Amino acid sequence: MIALFKGLGLLLEDNELYHSPFEKQVDHWKKLSDQQIREEVSLLAKAKCQWLIASIVLWQASSLLILGLITNYLWRDDFHITFTRIVIVVGSWVSILFVIWFMANMFDRTAGFERWMKAFNSRARISSDADSVDEVAEALEMAKHYPEVLDYKQAVTANRELRHEDIRIMRELGRMRQHSMLVGELNHIGDDGLRLQPAF
């Protein structure tokens, strides 16, 4: 269970990182080594197995406890099995499962199945399954045209191979540079004696 708590702690750190300024995300991933990433992936794999088992046991135990309380209330005075009581029990069971599913779905993005998959994917090696041709091509173009993207790529590859999250960061760095350049062009358009002609 120690691995489970460590894994959940790593997920919470990831959540905090993704809500941090982009510069902090860049700095964090730039400093990660292959050994650190392998250790994190190994920890996440163990923790995810324990999380699945604990989740199933917890949700099932909770639903059975609630169902037991409802059943005990219905058969408190007598033990006659009637159609109405059966319908109430079955309906309650379905309702409990729906509420549990809804709660688990709300929890999913913070530390649920979706969040575990995101943690694994961000640390995955570049592959056709995790990174599309368009995404890799975009990162390549950004590295060719913008020095800060190339600097990030070189800083990372000096210590380790590129991962899925590195591709995202390179694309985002390039888009930020593109945005600032476009804003600069937009602010200067019509300057230097140039006049924009009316469209009509």
Side-chain angles (χ1 to χ4, degrees):
M1 294 301 287
I2 294 176
L4 173 60
F5 292 116
K6 287 183 177 179
L8 288 172
L10 187 55
L11 289 189
L12 293 176
E13 288 176 12
D14 277 5
N15 288 341
E16 183 179 353
L17 180 65
Y18 286 125
H19 289 91
S20 300
F22 183 66
E23 292 76 14
K24 185 176 179 181
Q25 299 177 37
V26 172
D27 187 58
H28 173 82
W29 280 93
K30 190 185 290 186
K31 292 178 179 177
L32 279 179
S33 66
D34 264 331
Q35 179 64 25
Q36 287 175 298
I37 293 176
R38 282 196 296 268
E39 289 174 357
E40 288 181 354
V41 170
S42 176
L43 173 63
L44 287 169
K46 293 177 184 176
K48 180 173 170 284
C49 291
Q50 294 179 3
W51 171 81
L52 283 172
I53 294 171
S55 296
I56 291 170
V57 171
L58 177 64
W59 293 123
Q60 288 297 325
S62 300
S63 63
L64 289 173
L65 176 63
I66 296 170
L67 187 65
L69 293 173
I70 293 171
T71 304
N72 179 65
Y73 178 79
L74 290 173
W75 274 274
R76 182 174 53 185
D77 298 325
D78 61 75
F79 297 98
H80 295 296
I81 298 176
T82 62
F83 178 75
T84 304
R85 288 178 175 176
I86 292 174
V87 169
I88 292 173
V89 170
V90 172
S92 299
W93 176 247
V94 172
S95 300
I96 291 167
L97 290 178
F98 175 78
V99 170
I100 288 176
W101 170 84
F102 182 77
M103 291 171 62
N105 195 46
M106 294 285 289
F107 179 69
D108 203 31
R109 295 183 180 181
T110 304
F113 188 74
E114 180 182 333
R115 194 63 196 80
W116 288 99
M117 289 300 98
K118 187 174 180 180
F120 279 112
N121 290 339
S122 65
R123 292 166 174 82
R125 291 180 170 87
I126 298 175
S127 68
S128 57
D129 295 331
D131 306 275
S132 69
V133 173
D134 292 339
E135 289 172 340
V136 176
E138 184 181 2
L140 175 61
E141 285 300 310
M142 298 297 186
K144 286 180 178 179
H145 291 93
Y146 305 120
E148 56 266 46
V149 181
L150 182 59
D151 289 344
Y152 175 84
K153 182 262 179 189
Q154 290 175 334
V156 169
T157 53
N159 298 316
R160 60 175 174 83
E161 61 182 319
L162 292 172
R163 303 288 175 142
H164 174 73
E165 189 67 12
D166 297 315
I167 296 297
R168 183 190 73 84
I169 288 174
M170 289 171 64
R171 292 166 61 215
E172 189 61 31
L173 281 170
R175 286 173 183 168
M176 289 169 66
R177 176 65 182 273
Q178 278 183 332
H179 184 270
S180 63
M181 289 174 63
L182 290 171
V183 170
E185 289 182 21
L186 180 62
N187 288 334
H188 291 95
I189 193 168
D191 291 347
D192 302 323
L194 295 177
R195 291 276 185 189
L196 293 177
Q197 296 297 324
F200 51 87

